[in-house]
Amino acid sequence: MDLHYFLSWKVSLLLLLVPCGLQCMSVHIVNQEPVHVIPGQQLLLKARIEHGPLEEVSSVTWEWEAETGITQERVTLATCPGRSLKCAGIRPNVHVNIGEQETTLEINGYNAADGGLYTLTVTDHRGAKTSAQCIVREYEEVHHVSVSINVSHSTLVCGEAWGTDPHFSWLHERAAITNSVGRVSKDGITLLVTKTPICGHFTCMVSNKLGHSSATYTAAPCEAEGRGTTAAVVCPILLLLVGGVLAFVLWRRHRHSNRGERLHEHLDDTI
Ligand SMILES: *[C@@H]1O[C@H](CO)[C@@H](O)[C@H](O)[C@H]1NC(C)=O
């Protein structure tokens, strides 16, 4: 077999094994959806472009549209011819970069109106288009924390309205929850109270990158248990004391009367 023939056979076999063959461009946005951006900070969307060895990117377009609403109009943020490394968008704070296998969209000074559905469209050298989409929302601070009790299940449930990525934690009388007080569920939302009766202050604290907020459930004061233990310790001591005094008094009386008897006996003898 001649070498050239062998090589071309091998190359075509390889191309068959490549899932997309020669003509199959794919794009996907790397960011985890939905992307949350803190107002005033930078929105950075990254996308990977994969294409066959004979394909070429001829242009990249990023578009925006509102996530909901009546007018589903797409606004073009930037259209860039392939291979140009950097290209400006329609606004001075919008920048698009294009690399060998990736493209990024940057929006500096993000504001609430930038939230929505972003669409990336990549066009290959033959004019075939491939798209990927991504939802972008504003990163919101923690709102309206509340604690409710589920009496039948001895659980306290922490609620939070619409903050982004809330993290829950619990305190009892301003201290971390110990095993003698209860157990916190994996997601942190529920506290199963093992302490009976349920007493004291239970605080749920919800936090995210922008701050924290808390709410407290107040049960009956916990002093009852304190008094109980004091009574349990003090009572036996008192009983012992009283018993001891009584025993002493009895013992003294007994000794006196014995002495009296002996005195009588002595007197009798001498008489
Ligand atoms: C209490 O919790 C249980 C278990 O999670 C649930 O099935 C029940 O509906 C809850 N009761 C109330 C009043 O929320």
Side-chain angles (χ1 to χ4, degrees):
M1 206 194 309
D2 104 356
L3 184 68
H4 187 258
Y5 174 78
F6 174 74
L7 275 179
S8 65
W9 175 79
K10 213 172 166 183
V11 165
S12 44
L13 185 70
L14 260 176
L15 288 175
L16 272 179
L17 289 176
V18 173
C20 272
L22 285 172
Q23 265 128 36
C24 173
M25 196 173 272
S26 78
V27 292
H28 81 271
I29 293 170
V30 180
N31 304 61
Q32 224 177 16
E33 256 196 298
V35 177
H36 286 105
V37 189
I38 295 173
Q41 295 196 358
Q42 185 193 57
L43 162 64
L44 177 63
L45 294 180
K46 272 188 187 176
R48 281 196 69 77
I49 303 171
E50 270 149 30
H51 54 80
L54 301 182
E55 278 183 313
E56 238 176 74
V57 175
S58 78
S59 79
V60 167
T61 304
W62 285 90
E63 291 164 301
W64 170 92
E65 70 195 274
E67 198 184 332
T68 54
I70 317 146
T71 52
Q72 292 295 58
E73 199 187 339
R74 275 194 190 172
V75 176
T76 301
L77 296 171
T79 298
C80 315
R83 293 191 179 277
S84 67
L85 288 177
K86 208 164 180 132
C87 82
I90 51 156
R91 299 199 313 252
N93 66 334
V94 176
H95 301 281
V96 172
N97 287 313
I98 301 172
E100 193 57 38
Q101 278 179 322
E102 67 164 37
T103 169
T104 59
L105 170 74
E106 282 173 37
I107 295 182
N108 294 311
Y110 178 92
N111 73 63
D114 290 321
L117 183 64
Y118 284 75
T119 305
L120 162 66
T121 304
V122 177
T123 309
D124 72 8
H125 61 291
R126 290 174 309 131
K129 293 176 191 299
T130 313
S131 295
Q133 290 189 314
C134 177
I135 288 172
V136 175
R137 293 184 186 140
E138 182 184 334
Y139 192 102
E140 305 239 25
E141 57 185 282
V142 170
H143 281 276
H144 305 312
V145 177
S146 64
V147 178
S148 56
I149 185 163
N150 183 330
V151 178
S152 56
H153 288 73
S154 298
T155 52
L156 292 170
V157 182
C158 190
E160 192 281 330
W162 65 78
T164 305
D165 199 15
H167 290 270
F168 298 83
S169 59
W170 290 87
L171 300 173
H172 180 245
E173 305 295 22
R174 296 186 188 178
I177 300 291
T178 57
N179 283 341
S180 63
V181 174
R183 280 195 307 275
V184 179
S185 64
K186 234 180 190 170
D187 57 12
I189 292 172
T190 309
L191 171 67
L192 173 65
V193 183
T194 48
K195 185 182 179 70
T196 48
I198 294 180
C199 70
H201 300 86
F202 293 88
T203 303
C204 171
M205 188 124 99
V206 186
S207 60
N208 70 8
K209 282 186 201 167
L210 290 180
H212 57 82
S213 182
S214 65
T216 297
Y217 175 81
T218 305
C222 276
E223 282 156 12
E225 197 202 4
R227 265 187 222 141
T229 39
T230 321
V233 174
V234 168
C235 278
I237 292 174
L238 267 176
L239 273 174
L240 271 176
L241 267 175
V242 170
V245 169
L246 253 171
F248 179 71
V249 168
L250 283 175
W251 172 75
R252 272 195 61 165
R253 272 215 185 149
H254 186 68
R255 223 175 65 151
H256 276 271
S257 59
N258 268 359
R259 227 203 250 162
E261 267 167 38
R262 251 186 264 136
L263 213 67
H264 279 287
E265 277 166 28
H266 186 70
L267 278 174
D268 288 346
D269 287 350
T270 49
I271 288 170

